[in-house]
Amino acid sequence: MSGADEVIDPVTGAPAAIRYVNVVKTFGKQTVLDGLNLIIPRGKITVIIGRSGTGKSVTIKHVMGLLRPDKGQIWVGKDELTRMKDRDLRKVRTRFGIVFQDAALFDSMTVFENIAFPLVEHENLPYAKVKQKVEALIAQVGLHGANDKVPSQLSGGMRKRVGLARALVRDPEYILYDEPTTGLDPILTAAMDKLIRDTQDARPTLTSVIISHDMHAVLDIADKIAMMFEGKVAHEGSPEYFKKSMDPLVRQFLAGSLDGPMKV
Amino acid sequence: MRLRLIIQQMEFIGVQSLPIIMLSSAFTGAVFTLQSYQAFHMFSAESLVGGTVAVALTRELGPTLTGLLVAGRAGSAMAAEIGAMRVSEQIDALDAMGVDPINYLVKPRLIASIVMTPVLTAVFDLVGVLGSYTVAMGPLGMSYPAFMTNLKDWVDPYDINSGLFKALIFGVIIGAVSCYKGFYTKGGAVGVGKATTSSVVVSSVAILVSNFFIAYFLPAEA
């Protein structure tokens, strides 16, 4: 089996950055991933959609080695993760940035310290350089003057933007967003979506993976959409493909309808 | 080795526990003196009070009560903090950033607990004897020689060291139990509450049970 980057993604035509090959994961008697095959193209935004409980979060936890599959392979560039030792997995993780659903900021640290944390942990930079880098990101995500605030003083939208700045601070190859707009009002949702698109456009080599339920944003910002159903990718394609698709599964999800193949 | 984090935790477990340790030990020494004086007074053996209180403090009361107080104050806080970090995905965030959460969160707390519980026990012993001395000299009207003679004869370094050894074991128990309970917290705010309660209950019971076995297996004298 070859590395991810020797395979071309049929949807975008870009080389694969990440590949899932026949990945199976069960928790007790529940099979969450049931032979998942998915290509994440390099330098593009891939959005994974699907109902709650279809294995979207489990899918991105596998790609960072936070979970290990029961069967199958996961390629990140030339690295196959499933047989890696923990120490090597930690090195792979440093190539990723992740924006958690609730931001997962460290309560005991200020905004500045939260964003600087990955730099302090992994790079031996002088303080002036750290300050310059962190303040540039604070400006980029629109959080002027928030340096010394602690997470409890921030709104949900501000917390997510701090989470994004922290994820970007080490210039990762890959960035994962776990429901980045959940809990935000429509204006903040649009602002977050724009920030994600701008972040991608400013970094052509960055590979973004988003888990989302926000269908308007998905169709606007995605280069590729993968729809998960029963532990597999049921449909994948461009936003245009999804807009035009007459497949009952796709139509039901886009319309948010109770009638269709997906039962509540 | 994360020295800065270890020092932070030593400050939290040790320095910030000093007021409660000193207050508790002063009154423990005082009340023990009051009660034992009344008992010894029936046999006109008041001069045994100083030695009795000091031996009891250094061998048993010092390490045990310090362990229980540290478990209640610092152990519960450690379990709650790590538990809250678990349920709010902060531990996942550490993992995702390639930072080992055991190295970052657990080891500094465990080391600080092991170092500071004996230090606090030494403070407990000292302040407890001072509390005893104050009550003996003041309200009970004992003379200095009567209080000190048996104390000097009875308390030897082995008593103090065996108490400090116990405290070290209690430090391991408090650090390990609190961090374990916090680290494996499940179920949101309710889970954090359960982990916190459980860490104090398990640590306290483990301290009392292990105290018996340490006392049983340690030789009575050097």
Side-chain angles (χ1 to χ4, degrees):
Chain A
M1 187 70 65
S2 55
D5 48 3
E6 291 168 32
V7 176
I8 298 297
D9 173 44
V11 175
T12 59
I18 297 166
R19 281 179 73 200
Y20 295 81
V21 183
N22 291 323
V23 173
V24 176
K25 180 68 180 177
T26 56
F27 294 101
K29 289 180 181 170
Q30 190 187 3
T31 302
V32 179
L33 300 182
D34 190 10
L36 173 73
N37 286 292
L38 175 63
I39 293 173
I40 307 290
R42 186 172 297 282
K44 305 287 180 190
I45 295 179
T46 301
V47 183
I48 301 174
I49 60 172
R51 285 192 56 205
S52 301
T54 50
K56 302 186 299 298
S57 292
V58 172
T59 301
I60 65 166
K61 282 187 174 168
H62 273 87
V63 83
M64 298 191 76
L66 297 174
L67 290 172
R68 289 186 188 255
D70 302 328
K71 285 184 196 164
Q73 294 180 324
I74 297 163
W75 292 86
V76 173
K78 290 184 173 14
D79 297 317
E80 207 282 299
L81 305 190
T82 52
R83 288 195 173 79
M84 266 191 182
K85 290 177 182 167
D86 283 347
R87 183 176 293 180
D88 297 325
L89 274 175
R90 286 193 195 287
K91 284 185 192 154
V92 172
R93 283 178 201 147
T94 60
R95 291 153 58 190
F96 283 82
I98 181 164
V99 181
F100 285 88
Q101 191 173 345
D102 294 316
L105 303 179
F106 300 122
D107 298 328
S108 57
M109 298 182 191
T110 63
V111 166
F112 183 95
E113 289 165 342
N114 262 288
I115 299 171
F117 184 80
L119 283 180
V120 174
E121 282 297 314
H122 294 294
E123 292 178 29
N124 195 17
L125 293 176
Y127 178 73
K129 189 87 181 164
V130 171
K131 189 166 185 275
Q132 181 194 355
K133 205 159 185 178
V134 171
E135 288 188 341
L137 273 168
I138 287 176
Q140 192 188 327
V141 299
L143 285 168
H144 294 281
N147 292 26
D148 297 326
K149 290 190 171 165
V150 290
S152 59
Q153 295 173 302
L154 304 177
S155 68
M158 291 169 86
R159 291 166 66 90
K160 294 205 180 198
R161 280 183 279 161
V162 176
L164 175 58
R166 184 176 69 181
L168 289 171
V169 74
R170 294 192 68 225
D171 300 319
E173 287 176 57
Y174 315 93
I175 185 160
L176 312 176
Y177 300 86
D178 188 358
E179 302 191 15
T181 56
T182 299
L184 300 184
D185 66 51
I187 308 293
L188 281 177
T189 298
M192 190 70 191
D193 291 337
K194 183 174 183 308
L195 191 56
I196 292 171
R197 188 72 249 180
D198 291 347
T199 300
Q200 181 64 41
D201 292 343
R203 296 166 176 78
T205 57
L206 181 68
T207 300
S208 302
V209 184
I210 305 172
I211 290 176
S212 184
H213 294 119
D214 176 7
M215 288 314 302
H216 293 294
V218 167
L219 296 173
D220 282 346
I221 67 175
D223 295 307
K224 172 178 178 172
I225 301 170
M227 182 176 187
M228 291 191 65
F229 183 61
E230 295 181 342
K232 294 187 182 81
V233 173
H235 290 276
E236 58 182 330
S238 64
E240 286 66 34
Y241 165 84
F242 273 79
K243 282 178 194 165
K244 290 174 188 162
S245 174
M246 295 310 290
D247 183 272
L249 208 61
V250 175
R251 297 308 332 151
Q252 185 190 1
F253 195 78
L254 292 184
S257 168
L258 288 174
D259 301 321
M262 286 185 265
K263 301 295 178 200
V264 177
Chain B
M1 189 68 76
R2 292 175 175 275
L3 198 58
R4 189 179 60 83
L5 293 176
I6 293 171
I7 291 170
Q8 263 180 8
Q9 289 303 319
M10 284 167 74
E11 196 268 339
F12 171 69
I13 297 170
V15 180
Q16 291 188 31
S17 297
L18 274 177
I20 190 175
I21 291 290
M22 291 168 77
L23 193 70
S24 306
S25 57
F27 280 94
T28 302
V31 75
F32 195 14
T33 304
L34 202 62
Q35 297 283 19
S36 55
Y37 179 87
Q38 286 164 3
F40 285 127
H41 182 64
M42 288 190 273
F43 310 102
S44 301
E46 295 90 340
S47 63
L48 300 180
V49 168
T52 305
V53 171
V55 169
L57 277 171
T58 52
R59 289 187 78 117
E60 285 300 333
L61 290 174
T64 310
L65 290 181
T66 302
L68 295 176
L69 288 168
V70 172
R73 198 200 79 84
S76 59
M78 288 194 278
E81 186 182 0
I82 296 177
M85 290 184 75
R86 166 63 74 195
V87 300
S88 60
E89 293 186 307
Q90 291 175 54
I91 292 179
D92 288 339
L94 282 173
D95 244 332
M97 285 186 258
V99 176
D100 183 353
I102 299 289
N103 267 331
Y104 189 81
L105 295 173
V106 175
K107 279 189 189 168
R109 284 167 174 78
L110 188 59
I111 292 169
S113 176
I114 293 170
V115 173
M116 294 317 286
T117 310
V119 172
L120 290 169
T121 298
V123 173
F124 192 107
D125 293 349
L126 186 68
V127 178
V129 170
L130 284 174
S132 168
Y133 177 83
T134 307
V135 170
M137 295 292 112
L140 299 179
M142 285 178 68
S143 68
Y144 177 79
F147 183 83
M148 290 302 288
T149 307
N150 281 317
L151 191 150
K152 281 182 188 163
D153 289 347
W154 287 8
V155 180
D156 61 33
Y158 181 77
D159 295 317
I160 298 168
N161 291 340
S162 66
L164 296 181
F165 174 72
K166 278 183 181 178
L168 188 139
I169 303 294
F170 299 160
V172 175
I173 290 170
I174 295 163
V177 170
S178 307
C179 291
Y180 178 86
K181 291 289 179 185
F183 204 82
Y184 292 102
T185 297
K186 282 180 188 166
V190 174
V192 176
K194 281 183 183 167
T196 308
T197 307
S198 174
S199 79
V200 177
V201 171
V202 173
S203 298
S204 302
V205 171
I207 285 169
L208 295 171
V209 172
S210 64
N211 184 39
F212 168 78
F213 287 101
I214 300 168
Y216 187 79
F217 287 109
L218 268 185
E221 285 179 46

